[in-house]
Amino acid sequence: MTIIGCDLHTRYQVVAWIDEETGEIRSRRLEHENGEARAFYASLPRGARVGIEATFPALWFERLLAECGHELWVGDAARIRASEVRQQKTDARDAEHILDLLRTDRFPRIWVPSVAERDVRQLLVHRMKLVRARTTVKNQLHAQAMSQGVCRKHKLWTVKGRAELEGLALLPWASRRRKELLEMLDQLDAAIEPLDQAVKQEAQARPEAVRLMTHPGVGPVTALGFVLTLGPVERFRNRRKLVSYLGLNPREHSSGGRQRLGAISKQGNSMMRWLLVEAAQTAARYDPELRRAYQRLKFRRVSGVAKVAIARRLAVRLYWMLRARVDYAQLVRMSGSPSSAVVPQEKGSKV
């Protein structure tokens, strides 16, 4: 089998392989736009193994290797860099280092979702970006209302609240800003609505997401994102691996018998962390156990720390629901706590 270490960039790549005749390691720079990379891989015998670091989405490169009959391995970039002790870094050295890891069975290969799953992820990412843009527009309009002595919070977005906002007496440029912001808000609402429907359809088509939606506070967006982010739940041996994967574990710098913990690492999927924090706030209102934990942590620390802690607990719950293949009612009964043995009859809004 031909093994190739590849240091992939946007416009070019540097590859390293072993010459079968001389046994020497050879390297070469391949340009992408002029077809040099395609010609190189097409000239190789089918079945070659190509290793790269986890980097920017390079769907075209995956398609190219699939067309040529080669196998692509994606490795953990942090672990690949950590295994290199030399201080000199070049593209050729990086490609040779990846080649060495592949040859010695030390390549830190990671799980890669399918192309279809990554496309559904784009749906969630696109929706998240539009929702954040809508929040920014709402904050600007709310600031304008407060500057005129009107503070309605969420009631500002009702029919009555919007009429009051449009009726405020503003100066010419402030009035134009209000008009254009309201138009942007209407456009964003119109763009987000079909995305919400698409997310619901995708979530309903996956039994794992349907199971997660039985938990209070967990709606189609959070459930679908959790399923697509985790992939096969068997990849995680325990909850600690899951929490670390999501970046919800604390940073640690302990030595000499003294433990030092900091803020969360944030090394995982930022969108999934944001969704879990949003869902955890709703879950803490309707789940007795999470509500008690949130109130206790909020009293001892600050609300921000409490929200992240509840998001971590919610992530662990969802993990066990997938691992044990149980819904929320079964999970509560399995906990064995009399105080949480009854599922709340009224569930809140879901994210």
Side-chain angles (χ1 to χ4, degrees), residues 319-335:
Y319 164 72
W320 282 114
M321 289 173 66
L322 293 177
R323 188 75 180 267
R325 293 180 173 85
V326 297
D327 58 16
Y328 174 69
Q330 295 170 310
L331 180 72
V332 171
R333 288 196 295 268
M334 289 169 56
S335 66

Side-chain angles (χ1 to χ4, degrees), residues 213-349:
M213 285 190 289
T214 61
H215 195 292
V218 178
V221 178
T222 304
L224 181 62
F226 197 81
V227 170
L228 293 178
T229 301
L230 263 63
V233 71
E234 294 78 12
R235 297 194 301 128
F236 305 95
R237 291 178 295 176
N238 50 53
R239 61 183 178 85
R240 294 184 180 87
K241 297 293 184 181
L242 168 79
V243 171
S244 177
Y245 183 77
L246 295 174
L248 291 170
N249 59 321
R251 298 173 183 266
E252 183 173 3
H253 187 75
S254 301
S255 180
R258 183 176 180 181
Q259 188 180 41
R260 300 178 179 87
L261 299 178
I264 59 175
S265 63
K266 296 185 180 181
Q267 288 185 309
N269 190 306
S270 59
M271 180 187 69
M272 195 65 245
R273 281 197 307 275
W274 177 67
L275 290 175
L276 286 171
V277 172
E278 293 294 319
Q281 296 177 61
T282 303
R285 292 200 300 267
Y286 295 96
D287 181 87
E289 184 180 349
L290 294 181
R291 180 168 62 247
R292 288 193 299 269
Y294 176 74
Q295 294 297 336
R296 183 173 65 253
L297 291 169
K298 184 179 179 182
F299 177 77
R300 292 171 51 192
R301 307 294 290 273
V302 295
S303 61
V305 175
K307 291 177 183 178
V308 174
I310 299 303
R312 181 165 56 245
R313 295 196 182 196
L314 178 61
V316 173
R317 279 190 174 191
L318 299 182
Y319 164 72
W320 282 114
M321 289 173 66
L322 293 177
R323 188 75 180 267
R325 293 180 173 85
V326 297
D327 58 16
Y328 174 69
Q330 295 170 310
L331 180 72
V332 171
R333 288 196 295 268
M334 289 169 56
S335 66
S337 173
S339 60
S340 60
V342 179
V343 180
Q345 296 296 326
E346 185 181 52
K347 297 182 180 181
S349 59

Side-chain angles (χ1 to χ4, degrees), residues 41-87:
Y41 289 107
S43 65
L44 297 176
R46 296 177 68 88
R49 178 177 298 167
V50 182
I52 63 172
E53 292 182 354
T55 178
F56 60 92
L59 298 178
W60 71 270
F61 187 58
E62 295 182 34
R63 289 195 299 267
L64 169 62
L65 294 182
E67 292 172 2
C68 297
H70 304 318
E71 183 182 14
L72 177 65
W73 281 23
V74 181
D76 187 336
R79 292 174 61 186
I80 290 176
R81 296 189 188 114
S83 61
E84 176 58 82
V85 296
R86 302 185 66 172
Q87 298 296 321

